[in-house]
Amino acid sequence: MTGPAEPARRPGRARPGGRRSGRRGGDSGTREAILAAARARFGDLGYDRTTIRGIAADAGVDAALVHHFYGSKERLFVAAMRLPVNPLEILDAALAPGARDEDRGLGEHLLRTVLGVWDITEMRATFLGILRSATTSEQAAAMLREFATGTVLNRIAQVAQQAAPDGSGDAEYRAALVASQVLGLALTRYVLELGALKRVSADDLAAAIGPTLDRYLSGDVR
Amino acid sequence: MTGPAEPARRPGRARPGGRRSGRRGGDSGTREAILAAARARFGDLGYDRTTIRGIAADAGVDAALVHHFYGSKERLFVAAMRLPVNPLEILDAALAPGARDEDRGLGEHLLRTVLGVWDITEMRATFLGILRSATTSEQAAAMLREFATGTVLNRIAQVAQQAAPDGSGDAEYRAALVASQVLGLALTRYVLELGALKRVSADDLAAAIGPTLDRYLSGDVR
């Protein structure tokens, strides 16, 4: 990741529980301190209750510097958790105008996107590590739930809201149904490694399962 | 579990790697020895490669006694893993003639059955323990995959074969698709605990997701 040039530091202020902003070993030392503080806060407090201000205080830097380096809490989380990609950026790219072949349904298109990421070994390893944490620790499950809900699931709910405008507020439910099928496919294809799902190409799987996502997004789910 | 009266023992024979069948502290001691041997063998060799004969040898009893106590490898596995219910027996009961309301689809009926089991705390705890093992150990994942494939998934594949008789041999794929949705629902409702899925009743969830299973069992999945 290449960052912008380092900005002038704001004057350090003493904060309750934090340290004064001070000299560190240049950019990379500062970034490392921020990421370490972020990992600790996300782990202790979960995603929702963690603030950039709190992380900055723990790292002994100004919150503006954290914003400057990482831009948003979601991007800071992605960096702190060492995710090889930002799930929200991938989803946004897939939803961009023109990203989808006209002859494919949205569900199939989204599944091809997800499977394209997971079929890369490094991506899959990271994802499986997260899934493992979530099944073994309630704290990790809460962190993953809050991150997913605040980013990817929120974006899918917006899609559902547009696709089924008479959905009378059930967009969050529709997004969660989508998650149940997509994560279940990951579980059975990559963790349990059911032979029948491992043998099939990503394209064929996307074609078979895509209509399920389409129904969850905009069909009858009452 | 109440077993039948203990049968006369067959004469013990020495087996390679096993021990001679000998006296034990009555039924419960013998059963415990069999279950301990079963856990060790299933854990080491997986479900497919484990044989009742091998377990009997390790436990120092005759294979006929293991058959007498547990009837089948699948039932022995259920007992050894301390599963509170036998998934295949539950599935068979759900598929029995007359078990389903005429006005409900098969997918909805199967989901109501599964959710009815999982919504009981003890059942859910056991299931989550298995899921946890499978995500943290490849050996445990293989054991779960082999057991599921040899029992429940095999039964679902038979259902798909009957429902889509022109399926030209893709019944195993259809059953695996069903598993991807059902296990994904468990993951998102009980592990990640997505609010939108936790809030919804089992009946509403079954109605929303049931048509997905119906399509996987007998619809167009090419």
Side-chain angles (χ1 to χ4, degrees):
Chain A
M1 194 182 296
T2 52
E6 176 147 4
R9 297 270 174 85
R10 300 258 180 106
R13 283 178 292 154
R15 296 172 194 282
R19 283 167 287 167
R20 284 186 61 83
S21 161
R23 293 274 145 222
R24 290 193 170 266
D27 246 38
S28 75
T30 307
R31 283 176 184 275
E32 268 316 306
I34 292 169
L35 294 180
R39 274 190 287 276
R41 285 231 164 204
F42 283 127
D44 288 346
L45 301 176
Y47 185 77
D48 289 349
R49 286 163 60 210
T50 294
T51 61
I52 286 195
R53 183 173 293 271
I55 291 169
D58 284 359
V61 301
D62 199 277
L65 186 68
V66 179
H67 275 292
H68 173 77
F69 279 156
Y70 297 103
S72 67
K73 184 163 88 170
E74 152 235 334
R75 292 223 285 273
L76 176 54
F77 182 88
V78 167
M81 297 298 140
R82 300 190 183 89
L83 305 190
V85 293
N86 183 334
L88 189 57
E89 285 176 6
I90 297 211
L91 178 59
D92 279 335
L95 292 172
R100 166 161 67 104
D101 279 0
E102 291 297 330
D103 57 344
R104 287 208 182 90
L106 178 59
E108 179 177 352
H109 173 66
L110 290 177
L111 268 167
R112 287 166 70 101
T113 304
V114 171
L115 289 168
V117 172
W118 282 341
D119 278 349
I120 299 168
T121 307
E122 186 200 3
M123 310 289 185
R124 185 166 64 245
T126 304
F127 172 78
L128 294 185
I130 292 171
L131 194 60
R132 195 171 295 127
S133 305
T135 57
T136 50
S137 149
E138 282 190 23
Q139 212 171 8
M143 189 169 72
L144 176 58
R145 174 180 63 245
E146 291 171 8
F147 173 70
T149 304
T151 59
V152 174
L153 285 177
N154 189 43
R155 192 77 186 79
I156 305 241
Q158 289 169 8
V159 172
Q161 190 68 46
Q162 287 161 6
D166 60 341
S168 62
D170 63 356
E172 187 196 347
Y173 179 46
R174 291 177 179 277
L177 289 173
V178 167
S180 79
Q181 174 60 84
V182 172
L183 292 178
L185 178 59
L187 180 65
T188 44
R189 181 166 154 102
Y190 301 115
V191 179
L192 292 184
E193 303 193 47
L194 294 184
L197 296 182
K198 277 194 81 178
R199 280 193 295 272
V200 176
S201 74
D203 287 355
D204 286 349
L205 268 180
I209 298 180
T212 298
L213 302 200
D214 287 330
R215 189 169 68 80
Y216 292 162
L217 286 172
S218 57
D220 179 17
V221 293
R222 307 291 179 125
Chain B
M1 194 182 296
T2 51
E6 177 148 5
R9 297 268 175 88
R10 300 261 179 103
R13 283 177 294 155
R15 295 173 195 280
R19 284 166 287 166
R20 283 185 61 83
S21 161
R23 290 275 146 221
R24 289 193 172 267
D27 246 39
S28 73
T30 307
R31 283 177 185 273
E32 268 317 304
I34 292 170
L35 293 180
R39 274 190 287 276
R41 285 232 163 202
F42 283 128
D44 290 345
L45 302 176
Y47 185 79
D48 287 350
R49 287 163 60 212
T50 294
T51 60
I52 285 193
R53 182 173 294 270
I55 291 169
D58 284 359
V61 301
D62 199 278
L65 185 68
V66 179
H67 276 291
H68 172 78
F69 278 156
Y70 297 103
S72 66
K73 184 162 85 168
E74 153 236 333
R75 292 223 285 276
L76 176 54
F77 181 88
V78 167
M81 298 298 141
R82 300 189 183 89
L83 305 190
V85 292
N86 183 334
L88 189 57
E89 285 177 6
I90 296 213
L91 178 60
D92 278 335
L95 292 172
R100 166 161 67 103
D101 278 0
E102 291 297 331
D103 57 345
R104 291 210 180 88
L106 179 59
E108 179 177 352
H109 173 65
L110 290 176
L111 268 166
R112 288 165 69 100
T113 303
V114 172
L115 288 168
V117 172
W118 283 340
D119 277 348
I120 298 169
T121 307
E122 186 200 1
M123 310 290 184
R124 184 164 67 245
T126 304
F127 172 77
L128 294 184
I130 293 171
L131 194 60
R132 195 169 296 126
S133 305
T135 58
T136 49
S137 149
E138 281 189 27
Q139 211 171 11
M143 189 169 72
L144 177 58
R145 174 180 63 244
E146 291 171 7
F147 173 69
T149 304
T151 59
V152 175
L153 285 176
N154 188 43
R155 192 77 185 79
I156 303 243
Q158 289 171 6
V159 172
Q161 191 67 47
Q162 288 161 4
D166 60 342
S168 63
D170 62 356
E172 187 195 348
Y173 179 46
R174 291 176 178 277
L177 289 173
V178 168
S180 79
Q181 174 61 83
V182 172
L183 292 178
L185 178 60
L187 180 65
T188 44
R189 181 167 153 102
Y190 301 115
V191 179
L192 293 184
E193 302 193 47
L194 294 184
L197 295 181
K198 275 194 81 179
R199 281 193 295 272
V200 176
S201 74
D203 287 355
D204 286 349
L205 268 180
I209 297 180
T212 298
L213 302 200
D214 287 330
R215 189 169 67 80
Y216 292 161
L217 286 171
S218 57
D220 180 17
V221 293
R222 306 295 177 121

